[in-house]
């Protein structure tokens, strides 16, 4: 941030210090026991052009989903939810912080706008390909229109490992719901002229 003279929206990043998750287990004598599973926060960090951390938002809606034959993810096993709505000032306006799966919960964005005065909604994400194709553009346009805010949604794209790929299509959307810029992804070229060849299939 200091070297470029730019503000950074960095999310999600693993942050230590989260409470462990209690997990049930069976003891050798058949009696139920408990053990703790270490967890982190999935944090969205805003850093200004001087390298100062201006705000930290801990993702509150965790992605636990199973689509037979396509997706089986349980974020809550390794991540603890945050509890606070976070809005911070910036040179381009008041930023409302969210992360990925939060976009499916419109009340989170209403709170940021009406309680925090958010003008620009940030949604860094790593959507799966099936859910991205079905809902990514629609959800982000909805959050822009209903809150009359700009939406900036960074999006990971490509293969993370043998089991997971991300959809891409980083977007900038205006309060009318029009896509100002689309970085492209697995299912086509965006306004930036970038496409990802998913020759292995989705």
């Amino acid at each position: 941030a200091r070297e470029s003279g730019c503000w950074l929206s960095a999310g999600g990043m693993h942050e230590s210090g989260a409470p462990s998750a209690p997990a049930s287990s069976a003891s050798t004598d058949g009696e139920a026991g408990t053990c703790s599973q270490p967890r982190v926060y999935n944090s969205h960090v805003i850093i200004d052009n001087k390298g100062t951390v201006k705000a930290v938002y801990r993702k509150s809606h965790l992605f636990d989903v199973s689509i037979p034959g396509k997706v089986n993810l349980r974020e809550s096993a390794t991540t603890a939810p945050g509890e606070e709505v976070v809005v911070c000032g910036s040179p381009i306006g008041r930023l409302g912080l969210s992360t990925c799966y939060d976009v499916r919960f419109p009340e989170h964005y209403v709170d940021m706008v009406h309680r925090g005065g958010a003008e620009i909604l940030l949604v860094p994400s790593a959507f799966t390909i099936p859910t991205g194709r079905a809902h990514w553009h629609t959800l982000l346009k909805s959050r822009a229109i209903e809150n009359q805010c700009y939406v900036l949604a960074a999006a990971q794209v490509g293969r993370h490992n043998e089991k997971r790929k991300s959809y891409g299509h980083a977007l900038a959307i205006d309060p009318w719901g029009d896509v100002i810029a689309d970085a492209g992804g697995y299912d086509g070229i965006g306004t930036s002229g970038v496409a990802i060849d998913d020759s292995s299939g989705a």
Side-chain angles (χ1 to χ4, degrees):
R2 286 193 298 266
E3 291 174 355
S4 64
C6 293
W7 284 54
L8 298 181
S9 163
M13 300 176 66
H14 288 172
E15 178 191 359
S16 62
S20 298
S24 297
S25 62
S27 64
T28 54
D29 60 4
E31 294 294 325
T34 60
C35 60
S36 295
Q37 172 69 38
R39 294 190 295 178
V40 297
Y41 290 113
N42 185 349
S43 297
H44 181 176
V45 182
I46 300 296
I47 304 171
D48 71 12
N49 58 343
K50 296 180 181 178
T52 302
V53 174
K54 302 298 288 186
V56 177
Y57 164 70
R58 294 166 173 169
K59 183 181 178 188
S60 56
H61 302 97
L62 302 181
F63 186 63
D64 290 359
V65 66
S66 179
I67 302 175
K70 294 183 178 180
V71 178
N72 185 21
L73 296 170
R74 186 167 172 263
E75 187 178 17
S76 63
T78 58
T79 305
E83 298 179 351
E84 296 183 1
V85 171
V86 178
V87 177
C88 74
S90 81
I92 62 171
R94 290 188 62 74
L95 308 174
L97 278 60
S98 64
T99 303
C100 203
Y101 192 55
D102 286 329
V103 76
R104 294 187 179 274
F105 299 86
E107 65 277 8
H108 181 82
Y109 298 86
V110 171
D111 280 349
M112 290 194 291
V113 172
H114 290 280
R115 290 170 50 195
E119 301 166 289
I120 301 155
L121 308 176
L122 304 180
V123 197
S125 301
F127 255 54
T128 66
I129 292 175
T131 57
R133 283 176 169 161
H135 301 145
W136 175 244
H137 287 71
T138 300
L139 286 167
L140 292 168
K141 288 180 179 182
S142 297
R143 301 297 84 86
I145 294 167
E146 67 199 8
N147 293 291
Q148 285 298 282
C149 287
Y150 284 88
V151 169
L152 301 178
Q156 294 184 34
V157 64
R159 183 181 293 276
H160 299 270
N161 52 49
E162 289 302 314
K163 295 183 178 180
R164 185 179 175 193
K165 294 179 286 186
S166 286
Y167 177 65
H169 286 283
L171 299 176
I173 301 173
D174 71 15
W176 192 248
D178 290 332
V179 174
I180 302 170
D182 182 339
Y186 263 101
D187 65 350
I189 296 173
T191 55
S192 66
V194 177
I196 303 298
D197 178 17
D198 182 19
S199 56
S200 61

